[in-house]
């Protein structure tokens, strides 16, 4: 978490094997896992309440990657 979460998301994504996604609501927390196989969730502290944060983390952790049509895109994300 940071103010906008944009900086931590960009920094995390510079590292091999990291797929960080920025989530500001529950639907987005689910989609970054389902469609992008995100393994890190970044949240903007200035824009989400603590109750939202805990709910989004629960959703993020319990959501599975859908694979299928999304797998080709995820394969292109690698840093190297």
């Amino acid at each position: 978490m940071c103010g906008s979460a944009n900086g931590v998301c960009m920094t995390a994504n510079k590292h091999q094997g990291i797929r960080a996604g920025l989530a500001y609501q529950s639907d987005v927390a689910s989609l970054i896992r389902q469609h992008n196989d995100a393994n890190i969730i970044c949240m903007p502290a200035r824009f989400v309440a603590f109750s939202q944060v805990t709910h989004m983390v629960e959703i993020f952790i319990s959501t599975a990657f859908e694979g299928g049509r999304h797998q080709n895109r995820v394969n292109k994300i690698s840093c190297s």
Side-chain angles (χ1 to χ4, degrees):
M1 290 194 72
C2 73
S4 70
N6 203 24
V8 296
C9 193
M10 290 189 304
T11 301
N13 281 315
K14 290 182 177 186
H15 299 278
Q16 185 67 30
I18 299 297
R19 290 175 308 280
L22 184 119
Y24 46 87
Q25 63 185 33
S26 298
D27 291 346
V28 178
S30 178
L31 286 172
I32 63 174
R33 288 283 298 143
Q34 288 176 336
H35 294 183
N36 300 302
D37 199 19
N39 52 21
I40 292 180
I41 184 172
C42 303
M43 292 176 278
R46 291 183 184 154
F47 302 100
V48 295
F50 184 73
S51 59
Q52 288 176 286
V53 169
T54 56
H55 183 66
M56 286 191 293
V57 168
E58 289 171 0
I59 289 172
F60 180 79
I61 289 171
S62 65
T63 301
F65 176 50
E66 288 181 354
R69 66 186 178 97
H70 306 293
Q71 187 64 57
N72 288 334
R73 181 180 57 254
V74 170
N75 291 343
K76 295 175 185 178
I77 295 174
S78 180
C79 292
S80 55

